[in-house]
Amino acid sequence: MSSVAVLTQESFAEHRSGLVPQQIKVATLNSEEESDPPTYKDAFPPLPEKAACLESAQEPAGAWGNKIRPIKASVITQVFHVPLEERKYKDMNQFGEGEQAKICLEIMQRTGAHLELSLAKDQGLSIMVSGKLDAVMKARKDIVARLQTQASATVAIPKEHHRFVIGKNGEKLQDLELKTATKIQIPRPDDASNQIRITGTKEGIEKARHEVLLISAEQDKRAVERLEVEKAFHPFIAGPYNRLVGEIMQETGTRINIPPPSVNRTEIVFTGEKEQLAQAVARIKKIYEEKKKKTTTIAVEVKKSQHKYVIGPKGNSLQEILERTGVSVEIPPSDSTSETVILRGEPEKLGQALTEVYAKANSFTVSSVSAPSWLHRFIIGKKGQNLAKITQQMPKVHIEFTEGEDKITLEGPTEDVNVAQEQIEAMVKDLVTRMDYVEISVEHRFHRHLIGKSGANINRIKDQYKVSVRIPPDSEKSNLIRIEGDPQGVQQAKRELLELASRMENERTRDLVIEQRFHRTIIGQKGERVREIRDKFPEVIINFPDPAQKSDIVQLRGPKNEVEKCTKYMQKMVADLVENSYSISVPIFKQFHKNIIGKGGANIKKIREESNTKIDLPAENSNSETIIITGKRANCEAARSRILSIQKDLANIAEVEVSIPARLHNSLIGTKGRLIRSIMEECGGVHIHFPVEGSGSDTVVIRGPASDVEKAKKQLLHLAEEKQTKSFTVDIRAKPEYHKFLIGKGGGKIRKVRDSTGARIIFPTAEDKDQDLITIIGKEDAVREAQKELEALIQNLDNVVEDCMLVDPRHHRHFVIRRGQVLREIAEEYGGVMVSFPRSGTQSDKVTLKGAKDCVEAAKKRIQEIIEDLEAQVTIECAIPQKFHRSVMGPKGSRIQQITRDYNVQIKFPDREENPGHSVEPPVQENGDDAGDGRDTKDIDPGSPRRCDIIIISGRKEKCEAAKEALEALVPVTIEVEVPFDLHRYIIGQKGSGIRKMMDEFEVNIHVPAPELQSDIIAITGLAANLDRAKAGLLERVRELQAEQEDRALRSFKLSVTVDPKYHPKIIGRKGTVITQIRLEHDVNIQFPDKDDGNQPQDQITITGYEKNTEAARDAILKIVGELEQMVSEDVPLDHRVHARIIGARGKAIRKIMDEFKVDIRFPQSGAPDPNCVTVTGLPENVEEAIDHILNLEEEYLADVVDSEALQVYMKPPAHEESKAPSKGFVVRDAPWTASSSDKAPDMSSSEEFPSFGAQVAPKTLPWGPKR
């Protein structure tokens, strides 16, 4: 806790005048006569006690006590209250979230008003709405509609009358909803309910209900009677809260419809049985006649603003007066200007009713408080905090602020309004005394710069000067800035804002054109890179355009020089980005992508790091084979070469270069690459790479499997020849579903047309927009012939026929299982032919086919083939031990899926057996026969395969046999390889990396025996095809390791050389430079003796490496020693006062001298016996020259030292020349640490002197007052 004392000019003058000379004491360093030291309490007065703090806290806070926190400006503010019973959302746990918060946000966005909600003590909702007048009105209307409960009611009328309520084309219902401003929901015709639901305001519901009942009554077959009764007497007939009319309806069973007060109708409609209806009419007439005779009226004037208080919520006050006094109170409509209220009732009751009317009218009052409009925001407080205190205490008081008016309007119960008025007046008085405001004019274009990034500048000014600064929004284009707060803070803030504005007028703005694609890169992740630029140029404001604007203009603003520097920096950055954004695409066969990625992404990561490029691979589930490389051009080319070399090493990939004139390239590629793509797909997916347009190169590269490359080469050259002679193109159209049928199985049909005509036919790919377009390219006569053939085929396909065939019901399931997958495949392959099988459960064998005639015939043929396959289907068993099943299946079952596709068979694996070693299979019944055939299970051959090892294969016999062979070929085999035990750890590698690499490369499992077994046998398990490669790879690795062992033996030759320890630092050199150079030059390791080891000879240097290299390193060391032995050392007396000048800043000067004269110069350490002795070491002639040079320097520098010392003598005050008495420091009397000082030792048993943890200690008076 800290305290601050504020000393004003008046208090300072008073303080000065109160001082007497005796109180001012001046202590000098040489003073002998000192007065007594001050007491501890005088020097360190105690802080005031808690009580004093509380008293001072009650005093009004000063200008610094209140933090004025500005709020957003508002044109008009209204606060109103929604009682708990009328709240639509009453979940107290979700206040400020959920549906209520969403609705408020929607209202704010739609109307532009600002809403703030708070809960009053009675759990009612206080809502403060701020904004323009019309926005506030709209928002308030929405709040009432969406946050206050919408009344709803149901009215029951006979079902047959509903159509009369709806009217022709629903016109009657729409008209009714429009007239009553309600929502009327009528049950659907198939709904048995006769309840019509009406939702809206209470008044609207009453109107709508009345109209609906009128319509029903008119259509009712029962008796309907209308009774004319003056509107003024309707309340007496209905009774308080409609009780009287309810009783009559219940007793007589008659429906009585009294028009609501808002409907200007006098007739009351009765519906019911004639006798009962007559009784009801008679009773109503009796009441009417009686009231007509007995009642009189009086008219009184009540202020229009008080009418709502007389009516009460939902008209409850009127009903209450009617119930208590039997008097009806008639209020003029809200749109009328009349203030006359009419009371109708028996004369003796009118007085009581009149008293109640005035009591209700005066229970609420309207008052106003004068307050300057600029203070309204401070009265409201941040987020309405100040007002919330008043509205929570008095929730029925409505407080309204109006922009531009110097008053606040209060409305509510008289007592509450008076209390609220007093509180607001007190707040206004307090604010007026301590607040001030000023308005300054600053061009609106500078406003956002004054505000700063995220409001940094303006927030700093607000916090520093404790003021509120109101800057108009950009949309207003206003120059006026308003500052409000403490008078002194207002002036300081004004001065700083004007200075900032004047500085900005002298600033410069520069537009920098940077392509938008680089903006995100320059900004960086989470703005890191642009933050670095802003830190480098803090005075420059950098503005990037909104991404939606698609603009390339980046704006820089700030001092001219800084803007220029920042522009150059950013231009260089953009140039680097352009250079690094070169991109090339490399087509790589999909099956090799995983090898390029490597285990855990190792390969691709290595290529990225070494080539310094960004490499993007297509997603695993994507059909794309293209890898995109981005970076510098040279780096991209290097990465491309590496990726292609990996593909080349992995597969038999041939690469052929074909020379085709560059002018033909575009026509060969075709529109959007359609032509070249058709060649690539036809030739097994080879990659054809054309040179970059404009390069002038004729070389086209074809890459892929050797046979496919040759085929693609022939087609490409043939096409080029056609283009050179004369190429002709024709487009024809056919429905996309016919394309597969036209192409035929494996492209057979289209190849036949191509071979017979010599024309090339290109079908659209999935990416093409026009899916109907088929292009024919070639010589004109060939194209015309192909066009004729294709058009004939298409015409036949358009000839839709319907045919049927017989299929045995037992085969139906095969066609319709898996959501009819087989039928879907037939439809796709044969021009969208529709095949309909009979419904399941019927024994019909008739199958209907509908489509083009040729397609239907082909589909029938295909269905017949499938049936033949199904009838020829056999099931065979393949016994493979269960432990190999997972290996046979492959990753995600890929191997089994491949066999299933290749041989068109079904393969079923058995369920896994948990304990295969101990389980005994019970006999299983098959085809209704006893599996045991009456024999004992003990007679089963123990050598026969277990059930969990048997894989079931279903399909044609020859296919099943081929699939069985393929499965058996997938069973892993184990071979053993002898590898010396001492090499095992090198084969495994660091953390198993070596052995993992080999297993990934050869797709096998390598088992190295445990170290404790000391075995030389390594087991390799995998497919037979991979084992030979893996064995060869392992033996190759063994040979490499043995060669490394031999090399290590040669490298471990050791040689010792004897060198005097005093020369060791020179051989090592500064920071090891000399010895490191010898080590690198001769590829050896040099070890110096350990100084701390007493047993080790200190003059022996050990060199390890190849014998030849160690000898060369020894000679280099001895050469240095020879040179050192020729050196001499001389001591030079050099005045210690010039040592620092000769050494220079951080030793720069002395190093220069040592390098120039090739000597070593050592200065004495502090505390040395002779501080002037300097040692110079080196060759004799160099030492002599160096000594002469430093003595010359000494002479030069010493003259400067003597001059400066002489000058210092005159500058020093005489007082300092006298002997100084040792300072006692600061001394006080009666300090707490001397209060109990004595010679005796402290009391160990005293809990005060030695308190224990957790123990209660008697409070001790502290010098700084009690603890808080």
Side-chain angles (χ1 to χ4, degrees), residues 614-808:
K614 181 188 174 189
I615 303 173
D616 294 316
L617 287 98
E620 200 174 338
N621 54 3
S622 161
N623 293 326
S624 171
E625 295 186 333
T626 306
I627 295 173
I628 295 166
I629 308 169
T630 311
K632 289 186 178 177
R633 184 166 189 156
N635 295 350
C636 289
E637 294 291 347
R640 178 170 173 265
S641 303
R642 288 191 62 174
I643 289 171
L644 288 172
S645 69
I646 291 172
Q647 178 180 253
K648 202 168 183 180
D649 294 346
L650 287 167
N652 179 25
I653 301 296
E655 191 174 292
V656 173
E657 290 185 353
V658 183
S659 183
I660 294 172
R663 60 192 170 81
L664 296 175
H665 289 185
N666 280 347
S667 58
L668 287 175
I669 292 165
T671 311
K672 294 182 180 176
R674 285 180 70 200
L675 187 54
I676 203 69
R677 200 158 52 236
S678 73
I679 295 173
M680 288 196 286
E681 285 171 5
E682 193 180 324
C683 300
V686 296
H687 292 139
I688 301 174
H689 179 69
F690 282 83
V692 178
E693 195 174 353
S695 63
S697 172
D698 294 343
T699 306
V700 177
V701 180
I702 309 171
R703 193 181 296 110
S707 57
D708 292 337
V709 165
E710 200 55 43
K711 189 177 173 185
K713 180 182 174 183
K714 281 181 185 174
Q715 288 209 21
L716 200 61
L717 289 170
H718 177 66
L719 196 62
E721 191 182 334
E722 276 184 8
K723 291 279 180 189
Q724 274 182 312
T725 53
K726 192 178 181 184
S727 179
F728 187 72
T729 305
V730 164
D731 290 337
I732 60 171
R733 293 187 172 275
K735 292 177 185 175
E737 56 264 29
Y738 294 162
H739 291 187
K740 275 199 174 181
F741 183 75
L742 292 171
I743 293 165
K745 195 165 187 178
K749 284 188 181 179
I750 208 70
R751 200 179 296 115
K752 193 176 175 185
V753 175
R754 188 182 294 158
D755 293 344
S756 65
T757 63
R760 170 167 292 280
I761 300 152
I762 301 167
F763 285 83
T765 60
E767 290 82 25
D768 290 334
K769 285 184 180 177
D770 195 345
Q771 290 291 306
D772 293 354
L773 197 69
I774 301 169
T775 307
I776 310 169
I777 300 171
K779 292 179 181 177
E780 187 174 354
D781 54 343
V783 168
R784 294 291 182 203
E785 196 178 335
Q787 181 185 3
K788 192 176 175 183
E789 284 192 35
L790 279 176
E791 282 176 346
L793 280 170
I794 292 163
Q795 196 173 355
N796 287 343
L797 290 174
D798 286 333
N799 180 20
V800 176
V801 296
E802 190 170 318
D803 201 354
C804 62
M805 64 184 292
L806 301 178
V807 177
D808 193 318

Side-chain angles (χ1 to χ4, degrees), residues 1045-1082:
Q1045 273 187 331
E1046 289 170 10
D1047 186 60
R1048 269 199 299 277
L1050 291 171
R1051 285 179 65 88
S1052 60
F1053 179 79
K1054 283 189 178 180
L1055 185 70
S1056 293
V1057 56
T1058 305
V1059 175
D1060 194 319
K1062 69 178 179 180
Y1063 297 133
H1064 288 189
K1066 291 289 181 186
I1067 294 167
I1068 293 167
R1070 185 177 174 79
K1071 293 184 180 177
T1073 50
V1074 177
I1075 201 68
T1076 302
Q1077 191 178 348
I1078 295 169
R1079 280 175 180 149
L1080 294 172
E1081 195 177 323
H1082 301 288

Side-chain angles (χ1 to χ4, degrees), residues 1133-1139 1141-1142 1172 1190-1206:
L1134 208 66
D1135 196 304
H1136 67 275
R1137 289 175 293 175
V1138 299
H1139 286 190
R1141 287 283 299 276
I1142 291 170
N1172 298 329
I1190 58 176
L1191 287 173
N1192 289 339
L1193 288 176
E1194 179 200 24
E1195 190 178 336
E1196 184 184 331
Y1197 295 155
L1198 204 55
D1200 292 343
V1201 170
V1202 171
D1203 289 347
S1204 65
E1205 283 179 356

Side-chain angles (χ1 to χ4, degrees), residues 39 72 104 110 287 315 382 535 569 755 901 1124 1186 1194 1253:
T39 63
K72 289 179 98 174
C104 287
R110 202 160 60 77
I287 294 166
K382 190 172 184 181
D535 292 344
Y569 181 82
D755 293 344
R901 280 196 298 273
L1124 291 170
E1194 179 200 24
F1253 287 112

